Structures are given as C-alpha cells and as structure tokens.
C-alpha cells in the first residue's frame, strides 16, 4: 500500500459517506410525511409488524451482500427509533396546537 493508494481509498470512503448522509436525509424526508399523516389520522407512531418485515428483509439483504445481519439490524433499529421519536414529536406538537373550537 502506498500513501497514494490510502488517499484514494479514503477519498472513496468520503464519497460513500456523503452518499449515506444524502440517502438518510431522503429517508427522513419521506418518514416526516408519514409522521404528519399518522398524526393527522391518529395512527400510532410504531408499527411493529412493518418493523419486523423490514428487519427480516434487511437481514437477508445483508447476508447476500456479505455483511453482518446483526450489525445491519442494529443500524436499522437506530434509524427507526429516531424516526419514531420524530413521529411522537410531530404528534405532540399537533396536540399542543390550540383548537379553534
Ligand atoms: C415510517 C413508519 O413509522 C415507523 C418507522 C419506521 C421506519 O423508519 O421505517 C417503520 C415503522 C414504524 O414503526 C411507518 O409506519 O412506515
């Protein structure tokens, strides 16, 4: 390995990290819409069945990609927990809005 090679690998890593951040931002944009819809329709923030299906799907994808399924599950859990806390905040903000009636 040369210094040059290390620089190129690190540059690839930086590009990949940029893509991850951008994809996460996209995902949070979509989940924000879901959160608004749930608050408006009085649907609970957590959908455990949906989460179970997502974990199953992601674990399978991880295995196919040669990644540790446990790591991918922890990663997804972290994201979903953040989404659910956003959904609760959206819902609680809605409740705090004074009713016009
Ligand atoms: C986004 C949703 O809300 C929650 C967050 C999820 C997610 O981040 O993927 C999945 C299920 C729900 O617990 C949803 O119900 O689809």
């Amino acid at each position: 390995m040369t210094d040059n090679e290390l620089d190129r690998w690190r540059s690839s890593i930086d590009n990949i990290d940029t893509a991850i951040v951008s994809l996460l931002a996209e995902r949070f944009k979509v989940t924000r819409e879901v959160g608004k819809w749930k608050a408006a329709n009085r649907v609970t923030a957590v959908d455990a069945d949906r989460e179970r299906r997502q974990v199953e799907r992601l674990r399978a994808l991880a295995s196919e990609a040669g990644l540790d399924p446990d790591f991918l599950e922890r990663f997804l859990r972290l994201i979903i927990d953040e989404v659910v806390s956003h959904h609760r905040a959206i819902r609680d903000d809605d409740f705090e809005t004074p009713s016009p009636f």
Side-chain angles (χ1 to χ4, degrees), residues 27-28 30-32 34-35 38 43-52 54 76-77 79-84 87:
R27 190 184 199 281
F28 277 102
V30 177
T31 55
R32 190 178 148 71
V34 175
K38 284 184 174 180
V43 173
T44 52
V46 173
D47 183 336
D49 279 344
R50 162 80 176 148
E51 291 183 13
R52 252 191 302 278
Q54 283 167 284
L76 183 66
R77 188 72 266 153
I79 296 168
I80 290 179
D81 286 350
E82 182 71 12
V83 168
V84 167
H87 284 185

Side-chain angles (χ1 to χ4, degrees), residues 5 10 20 25 31-33 39 45 62-63 67 74 78 80-81 92 96 98-100:
E5 256 181 327
R10 286 185 172 168
I20 291 171
T31 55
R32 190 178 148 71
E33 294 308 309
S63 294
L67 295 170
R74 286 198 304 277
L78 191 69
I80 290 179
D81 286 350
D92 295 347
E96 275 164 26
S99 164

Side-chain angles (χ1 to χ4, degrees), residues 9-101:
W9 287 329
R10 286 185 172 168
S11 168
S12 291
I13 291 167
D14 287 346
N15 286 339
I16 293 163
D17 288 348
T18 302
I20 291 171
V21 170
S22 157
L23 285 172
L24 275 176
E26 259 328 287
R27 190 184 199 281
F28 277 102
K29 254 188 235 165
V30 177
T31 55
R32 190 178 148 71
E33 294 308 309
V34 175
K36 288 194 279 188
W37 180 86
K38 284 184 174 180
N41 291 282
R42 309 217 173 243
V43 173
T44 52
V46 173
D47 183 336
D49 279 344
R50 162 80 176 148
E51 291 183 13
R52 252 191 302 278
R53 290 195 301 275
Q54 283 167 284
V55 166
E56 212 174 293
R57 193 179 89 89
L58 226 82
R59 288 185 66 92
L61 283 175
S63 294
E64 282 165 29
L67 295 170
D68 178 358
D70 291 341
F71 163 69
L72 254 296
E73 183 170 344
R74 286 198 304 277
F75 183 63
L76 183 66
R77 188 72 266 153
L78 191 69
I79 296 168
I80 290 179
D81 286 350
E82 182 71 12
V83 168
V84 167
S85 78
H86 290 184
H87 284 185
R88 290 185 173 136
I90 293 169
R91 180 198 61 197
D92 295 347
D93 275 359
D94 276 9
F95 283 142
E96 275 164 26
T97 308
S99 164
F101 306 108

